[in-house]
Amino acid sequence: MLPTSRGDIFHLLKALGIEIHPKTTLPTATLEKRLRKALDSAQYITDAIDTPEDSDGKLTLDVRKMKPWSRGNVYSASQRGSLGEAMINYATQNTVPELYVNALTDLRQTVMSMGAYFDKGCTLFCLQDQKKEESAITIRVIEVLEKHEKVPVFTVLYVHGTKENPQGVDWVQYQVQSGTANALVGVTCTMMEQQLLLRILDVNSKRIPAYYKPTRGPREQNFTPSFILPVGPLESKDLGRLNINNGCVVCGKPADKRCAGCAGGSQENVRSFSKPTLYLYWLSVAIHYCSPECQKADWPDHKSTCKTLMNAKWTFIRFYIIPPGLPPGASYTVLNHNDRVSGRPDRPLEVKSEETEAPLNTHGTKPFIVKVQYNGSDATPMMIYDRRRTFHVLYPKSREDVNEAENYDNVARAVRSNIAWSGAKLFCWARRTGEWQLDLALDKLPSQDVKW
């Protein structure tokens, strides 16, 4: 495994869509655990392993229940994408992502490339850093197995080598000397992408059953059996689960103190924030901190938001996932921006007829920016969602509560007055105040230019 700093872990988590406060005091082991869970989500591990964890919390790939891949093109079966990506690709007529910017994007392309080369009969791979000097992962694909018709499983032998510990070099030299070098595929991988892949290979190697003993070729005695699955973007349920922090916004510890500024305090509270008795309050809803030290650490990032929301007038709304008032027997389903549109095993589409579970509160008490979309008709619910689409709800006009109907009219008026978006959209600050409740700051709009 490559040496990894805390900064590297933050970088990898961000590539997967997991945002952690840069000054968090969470233990490195806790961050690593969250990264492992995110990588399991990115490879949709339950597509390949549908058996429960054993008593030790371990998952095992049951190779005996799989057969060799017989579904045709492995490359096509290795593609994974979301509804949002498909919409962007369609709008831009561009399906080729920019490489060497996001480690997860790079890894997705590498796995698809392995599928494309496997289709051509190539099973030998050498993944090297851009300078071909620091790190290399050598891989032999043993076979591609079929878990479901849309889920190919690459069983592999691999070894990782570095400049200091050049494992795999003798294997490459053997391929050259034996005349199989032409079948050896070289792939350029950034160090960040290699870190992601090595973590996947390491965790998955522990999921290989003891009875699976692949035949080793020359120079492969130090290679480790593992498997690789197609990789894609995290779905909303996983993004929500892995981004939740209902404790101190900095360290995640239980917190009962809140910022007085954006909880309804005065400008004097913010100017005097160096005085703990003035800036730590037990108030209704605001950013939570466990101590003055954590608030001081967060102040450079929170200062702009806090001043923007100073003395904001919050408008209460009650939101839904399913439109209220559906006729008896009617059903409804929601397609989310982060939902998978490729590589999903055939399963019945989840259709609901009534509200069952509130959206995960991924933001805790922290104010966040939402987009409000309104088509100008009170007969159609407004749509409200955050940037990651982990919060995506409907806001209909109440026909029963006069105060809630008035709040709806206030929101609609604010959207219509937003000339920049032709009166159809509005970006504003929001905060969760309950499972099905949200407050909007219609008089204190974001100062930054929001582009999503």
Side-chain angles (χ1 to χ4, degrees):
M1 188 74 71
L2 287 167
T4 307
S5 66
R6 281 177 67 87
D8 289 340
I9 298 174
F10 287 131
H11 185 95
L12 296 175
L13 284 167
K14 186 174 182 180
L16 288 155
I18 313 302
E19 297 181 3
I20 304 291
H21 196 288
K23 295 180 181 177
T24 183
T25 57
L26 285 171
T28 300
T30 300
L31 299 176
E32 286 276 13
K33 183 177 180 180
R34 189 169 300 193
L35 180 55
R36 286 195 298 272
K37 289 182 177 180
L39 285 173
D40 270 355
S41 299
Q43 59 178 334
Y44 313 109
I45 192 68
T46 54
D47 285 355
I49 304 177
D50 51 16
T51 54
E53 297 177 345
D54 62 19
S55 58
D56 296 324
K58 181 181 176 183
L59 294 169
T60 301
L61 183 74
D62 195 347
V63 179
R64 286 177 296 197
K65 292 184 178 180
M66 299 183 186
K67 59 183 180 180
W69 182 260
S70 60
R71 301 287 179 169
N73 193 293
V74 178
Y75 165 73
S76 296
S78 299
Q79 296 183 36
R80 298 290 181 268
S82 67
L83 177 62
E85 290 177 337
M87 293 169 64
I88 292 172
N89 291 342
Y90 179 80
T92 61
Q93 295 299 299
N94 178 25
T95 58
V96 181
E98 184 178 0
L99 296 179
Y100 313 131
V101 175
N102 179 288
L104 179 63
T105 300
D106 294 340
L107 181 57
R108 292 168 64 184
Q109 295 301 307
T110 294
V111 175
M112 284 191 291
S113 295
M114 291 177 65
Y117 279 107
F118 185 86
D119 289 332
K120 299 176 182 178
C122 300
T123 60
L124 311 177
F125 298 88
C126 182
L127 285 56
Q128 292 181 281
D129 64 280
Q130 289 151 304
K131 294 183 179 179
K132 295 180 172 56
E133 295 177 354
E134 300 295 331
S135 173
I137 308 170
T138 47
I139 296 174
R140 179 167 69 85
V141 178
I142 302 165
E143 58 184 336
V144 176
L145 300 175
E146 177 185 316
K147 174 58 180 180
H148 299 285
E149 61 176 322
K150 298 179 181 178
V151 184
V153 180
F154 297 78
T155 57
V156 302
L157 287 168
Y158 82 97
V159 72
H160 173 231
T162 63
K163 184 187 296 185
E164 295 76 20
N165 185 21
Q167 296 191 83
V169 172
D170 59 338
W171 181 84
V172 173
Q173 291 173 342
Y174 173 80
Q175 306 306 329
V176 173
Q177 294 168 2
S178 62
T180 57
N182 290 335
L184 177 62
V185 180
V187 181
T188 299
C189 293
T190 65
M191 300 296 277
M192 288 293 106
E193 180 190 352
Q194 289 192 46
Q195 288 203 32
L196 287 183
L197 181 54
L198 285 170
R199 279 174 163 76
I200 286 175
L201 288 167
D202 179 60
V203 170
N204 287 353
S205 70
K206 299 175 177 62
R207 294 165 172 163
I208 292 288
Y211 64 77
Y212 186 66
K213 303 289 186 182
T215 302
R216 297 174 183 270
R219 313 293 192 275
E220 291 180 350
Q221 294 311 305
N222 60 338
F223 280 44
T224 302
S226 187
F227 64 91
I228 298 172
L229 297 171
V231 179
L234 273 66
E235 296 186 282
S236 290
K237 62 181 177 61
D238 297 313
L239 285 171
R241 176 173 54 86
L242 293 166
N243 274 290
I244 285 179
N245 178 16
N246 290 324
C248 174
V249 70
V250 176
C251 67
K253 294 179 181 177
D256 56 4
K257 300 176 177 64
R258 315 180 187 195
C259 174
C262 51
S266 66
Q267 184 69 31
E268 184 62 30
N269 288 133
V270 177
R271 284 199 297 266
S272 305
F273 110 90
S274 60
K275 301 176 182 178
T277 55
L278 289 177
Y279 75 90
L280 289 176
Y281 282 76
W282 285 261
L283 294 176
S284 56
V285 176
I287 305 267
H288 281 66
Y289 300 102
C290 66
S291 67
E293 290 73 23
C294 279
Q295 190 181 27
K296 288 179 180 179
D298 188 47
W299 183 245
D301 294 322
H302 178 57
K303 182 177 180 180
S304 175
T305 302
C306 191
K307 289 188 173 182
T308 297
L309 296 177
M310 187 67 56
N311 299 318
K313 295 179 181 178
W314 295 92
T315 299
F316 167 85
I317 72 167
R318 191 183 307 278
F319 58 79
Y320 298 83
I321 296 177
I322 298 173
L326 287 177
S331 297
Y332 186 85
T333 189
V334 176
L335 293 178
N336 189 280
H337 200 74
N338 299 305
D339 285 345
R340 262 195 290 171
V341 293
S342 58
R344 180 188 293 276
D346 290 333
R347 295 169 184 160
L349 186 64
E350 184 179 11
V351 179
K352 302 176 181 178
S353 57
E354 59 182 16
E355 298 284 12
T356 55
E357 189 174 332
L360 284 171
N361 183 2
T362 64
H363 300 281
T365 60
K366 185 176 182 178
F368 58 102
I369 296 175
V370 296
K371 180 192 285 187
V372 183
Q373 291 187 197
Y374 175 53
N375 71 355
S377 170
D378 293 352
T380 304
M382 297 185 199
M383 188 161 58
I384 303 175
Y385 51 90
D386 63 5
R387 177 175 59 83
R388 290 194 303 263
R389 304 284 184 120
T390 55
F391 178 81
H392 192 161
V393 299
L394 300 176
Y395 177 37
K397 185 170 184 176
S398 175
R399 306 299 178 187
E400 301 173 354
D401 190 298
V402 175
N403 292 329
E404 289 189 22
E406 183 180 348
N407 286 350
Y408 179 96
D409 291 337
N410 290 335
V411 176
R413 192 177 303 113
V415 178
R416 286 196 300 267
S417 65
N418 187 21
I419 301 175
W421 289 96
S422 303
K425 302 176 184 178
L426 176 72
F427 291 97
C428 64
W429 288 100
R431 62 186 184 185
R432 284 287 287 270
T433 54
E435 282 195 330
W436 299 99
Q437 292 87 40
L438 192 72
D439 281 355
L440 302 178
L442 301 176
D443 62 332
K444 300 284 186 177
L445 302 184
S447 56
Q448 65 265 46
D449 183 19
V450 185
K451 295 185 182 298
W452 47 273

